[in-house]
Amino acid sequence: DGGITQSPKYLFRKEGQNVTLSCEQNLNHDAMYWYRQDPGQGLRLIYYSQIVNDFQKGDIAEGYSVSREKKESFPLTVTSAQKNPTAFYLCASKSVGANVLTFGAGSRLTVL
Amino acid sequence: EDQVTQSPEALRLQEGESSSLNCSYTVSGLRGLFWYRQDPGKGPEFLFTLYSAGEEKEKERLKATLTKKESFLHITAPKPEDSATYLCAAISSGSARQLTFGSGTQLTVLP
């Protein structure tokens, strides 16, 4: 079945550590997205990529980095510069020209 | 700046008690209004897209409607399995084709 796989499901990080969240899709979608979800808030866009080797900052990119070396993969690194990284992170994808996003199951990051 | 506001934040219904969720939007040139369902600890699942005022879409006990300022998600005779958070999102001509999400309505249907 086609879909988006995010890993790990749960991740704990000590302050000062960088962590990388994985996102892999087999939907042959061109565009991929990372969102952050906090309680009581809407999804906020961190980074997005519409083509391999190219990506753009979203509304809250500070403290995060991404790469898009393959069409199927869009990993997100949460760096030590992110002041409040504890959140639920969602990866999504869509075909270019389409509007409907398909989401992964999410990764919950907790900073200890 | 595009804004999407959902109300109420939380809603508790008895099984069979119909109600509506509201999504108000302020965007520059609406290109689409989306409804998603999100279960706890999972990613959102797509429900509906509406494109123009007056449009309606239905799926089982859910019906989404759209006006020039807001969208409603009507839930008819809900069941406990309809319990979830319902997210509304809009895409506009002024947003570089990126979605603006509301904060969601957490629906609980009691048996």
Side-chain angles (χ1 to χ4, degrees), chain B residues 11 16 28 31 41 50-51 55 65 80 84 86 103:
Chain B
L11 181 63
S28 54
R31 292 295 179 92
L50 302 166
Y51 291 104
E55 188 175 359
T65 62
Y86 290 86
S103 57

Side-chain angles (χ1 to χ4, degrees), chain B residues 66-84:
Chain B
L66 182 66
T67 73
K68 289 185 178 180
K69 294 184 177 180
E70 56 194 355
S71 177
F72 293 94
L73 185 65
H74 306 279
I75 303 175
T76 302
K79 298 182 178 182
E81 52 263 41
D82 294 321
S83 297

Side-chain angles (χ1 to χ4, degrees), chain A residues 9-38:
Chain A
K9 178 69 175 175
Y10 299 97
L11 185 61
F12 298 89
R13 187 193 96 173
K14 294 181 180 180
E15 286 191 12
Q17 287 182 335
N18 293 353
V19 294
T20 297
L21 308 181
S22 171
C23 177
E24 303 278 335
Q25 55 99 358
N26 60 3
L27 300 166
N28 199 33
H29 286 169
D30 297 291
M32 298 187 72
Y33 301 78
W34 275 105
Y35 288 90
R36 170 178 171 142
Q37 187 174 34
D38 295 283

Side-chain angles (χ1 to χ4, degrees), chain B residues 12-13 29 32-35 37 48 50 56 71 80 87 89-90 101 104 107-108:
Chain B
R12 292 166 66 92
L13 300 173
L33 190 291
F34 303 80
W35 284 97
R37 169 190 170 128
F48 304 108
L50 302 166
E56 298 183 353
S71 177
L87 301 172
F101 281 86
L107 174 67
T108 304

Side-chain angles (χ1 to χ4, degrees), chain A residues 11-71:
Chain A
L11 185 61
F12 298 89
R13 187 193 96 173
K14 294 181 180 180
E15 286 191 12
Q17 287 182 335
N18 293 353
V19 294
T20 297
L21 308 181
S22 171
C23 177
E24 303 278 335
Q25 55 99 358
N26 60 3
L27 300 166
N28 199 33
H29 286 169
D30 297 291
M32 298 187 72
Y33 301 78
W34 275 105
Y35 288 90
R36 170 178 171 142
Q37 187 174 34
D38 295 283
Q41 295 192 37
L43 276 65
R44 292 182 290 169
L45 183 63
I46 305 172
Y47 268 98
Y48 65 100
S49 168
Q50 295 183 307
I51 194 170
V52 174
N53 292 324
D54 188 41
F55 48 83
Q56 286 77 41
K57 293 181 178 180
D59 300 321
I60 56 165
E62 185 176 353
Y64 300 97
S65 66
V66 293
S67 62
R68 186 86 186 276
E69 298 178 0
K70 298 187 300 182
K71 184 176 182 178

